[in-house]
Amino acid sequence: MSRLPDPIREGLARGWRVAGGPHGAVPDRLACDVAIVGSGAGAGISAEILTRAGLKVLLVEEGPLKTSSDFRQLESEAYPSLYQESAARKTSDKAITILQGRCVGGSTTVNWTSSFRTPAATLDHWQRHFGLQRFGNDELAPFFEQAERRLSIGPWLLPPNENNALLRRGAARLGIATAAIQRNVKGCWNLGSCGLGCPTNAKQSMLVTTIPWALDHGAHLLVETRAERLELANGRVTALVCVPASGEGPATRITARHYVLAAGAINSPAVLLRSQAPDPHGRLGQRTFLHPVVLSAAHFDGKVEGWRGAPQTLYSDHFLETQPIDGPIGYKLEAPPVHPVIFATTVTGYGREHADLMRQFPNTHVLIALLRDGFHEQSPGGSVRLRGDGSPQLDYPLTDFVMEGARRALLSMMEIQFAAGARRVLPVHELARPYLDWNEARRAVAALPMKPLLAKIVSAHVMGGCGLAGDPALGVVRPDGVHWQLQNLSVHDGSLFPTSVGANPQLSIYGIVNRLAQDLARRMGGRDAILA
Ligand SMILES: Cc1cc2nc3c(=O)[nH]c(=O)nc-3n(C[C@H](O)[C@H](O)[C@H](O)COP(=O)(O)OP(=O)(O)OC[C@H]3O[C@@H](n4cnc5c(N)ncnc54)[C@H](O)[C@@H]3O)c2cc1C
């Protein structure tokens, strides 16, 4: 067992108020000032701000409370215990695999630490199309600054790992600009296992920052406990009904002055759908965005070992900036962590061909392109609905408009990989084969049918479904995050965004929720509170 300090076990030993699962039975009735559903990016920030304001906060998390002592850098343990649907969540047609966290800290416990403020072009679009006048760069800047200080977001000073360095080298040979990514880490060991839970507590996720702070100052956490539905009457929430995530055991009824939904995009809309929340304009669960991601793998003569070292440290926005935000879909390029199980289950092919690919694994380089969805009428995103058992399902039509962007993205990534000296390049598509030079690859990919289930699409960025808007006909929540029809309910997570962000979303959630939570604390009569 690790001999590193474990802030969670130490906190539990200090007497944190945690119940559920192995931490003991949850009482059948509980009361607080603010009940927060979830414990990820939006929930963590809200919990700290509202607790700082002197309010009595209770968090409800359906996943387990795992700690750095549990994080052994093993994919076989991490995916089943820390991710929604064991990291195999898929859209209803199975064409997109979705990664989301399901544990205390939510997706921040397993994310890859890339930290970007919301791009100015995105904020400008929200102001013009969704009536979000107060969402300008200057108005949000102090809230981003506080989040950056609180979560140690700053430049990464070590050299990039080879997977990232190849992105820079290939792009530079083509005259494509790359830049460094800021990370939310403190004393990072450069292990590269961010996606499996940080074993050294260096990643400044909600698991080791805001949630411990809130628990140290009196907040109450229920784990392995699912928020099932809200009880509603006269335009208000009257209670939150929760059940053990195991399905075994009695329900708990939580009453609060205010309720905050922060269960993440897909799951927050699902709680509202299960509660039959008013939705007069048919917006609930609509416009769910994914930054649909396509991938290109390449083999190099030298070792790449993409599992080693900080995962995403360089990026290129060249292909976001070469056309208008509402024109043909643009994409951000990054070099992700490359671990064997996730790689093996993502690349296409089977049998001997697949075995050959895996033999090349240490020499394999991977690029991803994140498509900026939601800015064009032919990119309306997906919609959440409920299965018969009440669990959520996402329909996400991959339109020709999106898939044409996917084709351009595959071409851009392959060209960069060849420019970096790749021996052969494999765009991740069922009908593609490894190509030996750029001309062959370009011709082959131009002719590939870009269809769902053929081109492999993944996502770790789920956004929207409870969109912010200045007009009730355009969104689910008001610009202050309060539900348009339910006056004591706010949404504080990635489901707020009216389009995709166009950059990795964690800092957008931290900054924007920071402001919404401060306003909420003030309206509830709390002390003034800031993050840092
Ligand atoms: C593998 C991976 C890598 C990523 N890398 C990056 C990155 O490098 N940079 C970046 O900016 N973003 C990254 N992201 C995305 C980022 O982490 C998320 O956008 C962000 O955490 C979403 O915050 P949220 O508050 O919306 O939801 P989450 O952080 O997902 O938290 C939601 C929580 O709610 C819980 N929950 C759901 N339903 C219920 C219910 N009914 N009752 C109780 N609890 C419930 C879930 O278990 C979960 O813990 C990554 C995500 C993943 C999965």
Side-chain angles (χ1 to χ4, degrees):
M1 207 225 289
S2 163
R3 279 182 290 151
L4 293 169
D6 182 329
I8 304 301
R9 291 194 180 171
E10 289 164 12
L12 288 167
R14 277 199 301 280
W16 281 352
R17 298 170 69 203
V18 179
H23 303 277
V26 177
D28 58 2
R29 275 170 199 272
L30 287 163
C32 57
D33 290 321
V34 190
I36 301 177
V37 179
S39 65
I45 298 292
S46 303
E48 177 165 332
I49 290 290
L50 295 164
T51 304
R52 278 185 188 275
L55 298 164
K56 197 173 156 204
V57 167
L58 185 155
L59 294 127
V60 182
E61 168 56 53
E62 70 172 340
L65 174 57
K66 295 287 183 182
T67 83
S68 49
S69 310
D70 301 315
F71 300 151
R72 302 193 309 145
Q73 301 180 274
L74 292 174
E75 290 182 283
S76 57
E77 291 179 359
Y79 303 143
S81 61
L82 304 176
Y83 283 70
Q84 290 288 353
E85 300 176 34
S86 297
R89 179 169 256 191
K90 287 189 190 292
T91 47
S92 45
D93 62 359
K94 312 277 188 276
I96 310 178
T97 303
I98 297 172
L99 299 178
Q100 279 185 300
R102 182 181 180 272
C103 54
V104 174
S107 303
T108 76
T109 299
V110 291
N111 81 15
W112 301 336
T113 74
S114 303
S115 303
F116 296 91
R117 290 189 186 187
T118 317
T122 300
L123 293 175
D124 182 53
H125 186 88
W126 293 355
Q127 290 180 303
R128 280 190 286 120
H129 295 277
F130 294 93
L132 297 175
Q133 272 71 28
R134 285 183 59 229
F135 282 70
N137 245 340
D138 293 348
E139 283 115 320
L140 288 174
F143 300 97
F144 284 130
E145 270 159 30
Q146 289 164 20
E148 286 159 355
R149 267 199 303 281
R150 175 72 181 96
L151 303 174
S152 299
I153 291 173
W156 175 242
L157 300 175
L158 290 181
N161 71 2
E162 183 64 1
N163 202 42
N164 281 271
L166 285 167
L167 165 60
R168 182 159 64 192
R169 290 210 286 279
R173 288 200 185 120
L174 298 172
I176 293 169
T178 53
I181 299 180
Q182 307 226 70
R183 307 185 63 219
N184 56 322
V185 292
K186 209 190 248 182
C188 174
W189 292 26
N190 205 22
L191 295 175
S193 56
C194 313
L196 312 177
C198 180
T200 66
N201 297 303
K203 175 168 52 177
Q204 298 298 285
S205 67
M206 300 301 100
L207 177 65
V208 302
T209 57
T210 53
I211 304 276
W213 196 96
L215 292 173
D216 270 333
H217 293 82
H220 191 166
L221 171 66
L222 307 183
V223 300
E224 301 185 35
T225 303
R226 176 177 303 127
E228 194 59 27
R229 66 192 155 81
L230 302 159
E231 289 179 355
L232 311 175
N234 306 319
R236 294 183 65 81
V237 179
T238 51
L240 169 66
V241 179
C242 301
V243 294
S246 65
E248 307 281 315
T252 298
R253 199 165 176 278
I254 299 168
T255 48
R257 287 165 59 205
H258 200 90
Y259 300 80
V260 172
L261 267 185
I266 298 184
N267 284 51
S268 281
V271 174
L272 288 169
L273 287 168
R274 286 197 294 270
S275 312
Q276 299 183 340
D279 180 26
H281 303 285
R283 309 306 289 188
L284 175 58
Q286 304 300 307
R287 294 186 61 79
T288 302
F289 300 105
L290 295 174
H291 285 157
V293 166
V294 284
L295 311 89
S296 182
H299 292 147
F300 283 78
D301 284 336
K303 291 253 191 294
V304 180
E305 299 188 335
W307 61 88
R308 262 188 223 288
Q312 298 177 147
T313 52
L314 295 167
Y315 72 103
S316 175
D317 274 353
H318 177 85
F319 301 98
L320 286 179
E321 289 162 357
T322 38
Q323 67 277 320
I325 197 165
D326 53 359
I329 198 162
Y331 41 92
K332 190 179 196 82
L333 297 184
E334 292 174 354
V338 189
H339 290 275
V341 173
I342 203 106
F343 179 77
T345 53
T346 303
V347 282
T348 47
Y350 52 88
R352 181 188 296 272
E353 202 183 329
H354 195 268
D356 284 345
L357 276 179
M358 292 315 292
R359 244 175 250 122
Q360 298 281 333
F361 184 67
N363 294 47
T364 303
H365 172 250
V366 177
L367 287 180
I368 54 174
L370 300 92
L371 301 172
R372 180 174 56 187
D373 50 347
F375 293 83
H376 189 280
E377 59 186 20
Q378 288 175 52
S379 169
S383 51
V384 176
R385 63 190 162 89
L386 299 178
R387 298 187 183 100
D389 65 356
S391 63
Q393 192 162 30
L394 179 67
D395 298 322
Y396 189 106
L398 286 161
T399 60
D400 290 347
F401 171 84
V402 172
M403 294 310 275
E404 206 39 50
R407 186 194 306 279
R408 282 184 284 112
L410 288 179
L411 289 167
S412 306
M413 292 189 289
M414 292 191 308
E415 189 174 14
I416 289 172
Q417 289 171 320
F418 280 120
R423 176 166 286 277
R424 52 183 193 157
V425 168
L426 175 64
V428 183
H429 184 293
E430 286 291 345
L431 304 182
R433 291 291 165 265
Y435 304 117
L436 299 179
D437 67 60
W438 167 229
N439 279 330
E440 182 196 11
R442 180 169 40 190
R443 275 196 304 276
V445 170
L448 284 177
M450 291 303 285
K451 296 286 176 207
L453 296 164
L454 289 179
K456 185 80 187 186
I457 313 274
V458 299
S459 170
H461 297 170
V462 195
M463 298 157 284
C466 297
L468 284 160
D471 173 341
L474 295 178
V476 173
V477 299
R478 307 185 317 211
D480 60 4
V482 176
H483 193 278
W484 272 107
Q485 287 82 31
L486 297 166
Q487 43 183 293
N488 61 342
L489 174 72
S490 296
V491 177
H492 283 187
D493 62 14
S495 61
L496 287 169
F497 301 137
T499 62
S500 77
V501 172
N504 310 49
Q506 68 166 344
L507 181 52
S508 291
I509 299 172
Y510 299 143
I512 289 170
V513 167
N514 181 22
R515 183 170 85 185
L516 302 185
Q518 291 187 28
D519 288 352
L520 173 62
R522 220 167 286 126
R523 287 198 305 275
M524 291 186 69
R527 294 189 293 268
D528 276 356
I530 62 166
L531 266 183

